[in-house]
Every structure is written in C-alpha cells, then in structure tokens.
Amino acid sequence: MNMHANVNADGNFLRAARRHKSFVAGAAITLALLLAAAVSLVWTPYAPAELDIPNKLAAPSLSHWLGTDSLGRDVFSQLLAGAQNSILVGLLAVAIGMGLGVTLGCIASAQRAVGHAWIEEVIMRASDLAFAFPALLTAIMLGEVYG
C-alpha cells in the first residue's frame, strides 16, 4: 500500500487532511485545548481552587459560565487551568516514550550489529510484554466488572 495515499497529487497534506472528518475534529479539539491553556496563563475568572461554599453546585450563569462544583469552585476556571496540566502530561508522556524507545532501539540494533542478537531478542520480548500488559489488564478488569 502506498504510504502517501492520503496526500493528493501535488503533495499538499493539509488540503487532503481537511477532507477527513476525524482529522478536522482532532485538530479542533487540540486547538481548543491549546487556546484554553494560553488563555489560562493570563486570565481565569476565579482562582481555580477558590472555594465558595454558599454557591456550591450552582447552575451556569453570567458569573459562573459553566456553574460550580460541589465545593463551589468555578468549573470554567478549573477547565482553563486543567488544560495546562493536560498539555504537560501529554508532552512528558511522549518525551519519556521517545527517550526509552529510541535508547532501547539503538541498543538493540547496535548489539545485533556486533553479533549479540540475543540482546536484541531480550529487548524485543520485553517490548512485546510491555505492549501487551495494559491490554491484558484492561481485559481482566472488564472481566471482573462485567462477570
């Protein structure tokens, strides 16, 4: 299969990507998250952790755009501040994965090149186990929850 099947004849990736609903939806969500994080750096209507017990569980209004939670904290302010944490966690997860993956891949290929193929085999089997483990845990959890 051609790896460049989603790119049109003149190579314009964005023009081809805009035709896919999932790409457009993902881009919109990502841009909204980035915008929320950027706005929260300079402005939030209330301090995200500020308690306002008399106004707990308030419905959305002009003063609290998305209402308040069970402790009276402004939900909109929490969403804005939480966007920063979401971006940070995503970037750290990718950085850790890349760091470990590239390092182990380089070790495996270097050891194979010098005749120690068993080291590559151990790294590959450990990788297989790591990739299978979360799926196995999910299957066990669903089996326990739903009988």
Side-chain angles (χ1 to χ4, degrees), residues 47-120:
E50 179 183 334
L51 301 179
D52 186 11
I53 301 297
N55 287 322
K56 66 181 185 177
L57 298 174
S61 65
L62 290 176
S63 61
H64 297 285
W65 294 353
L66 296 178
T68 60
D69 66 4
S70 62
L71 296 174
R73 297 174 296 202
D74 185 62
V75 174
F76 183 67
S77 297
Q78 289 181 326
L79 284 173
L80 288 177
Q84 292 176 12
N85 291 335
S86 297
I87 291 171
L88 180 63
V89 166
L91 290 175
L92 284 175
V94 169
I96 290 169
M98 278 182 54
L100 287 173
V102 169
T103 302
L104 288 174
C106 288
I107 291 170
S109 69
Q111 293 303 313
R112 183 173 187 87
V114 296
H116 297 115
W118 66 271
I119 295 176
E120 178 203 18

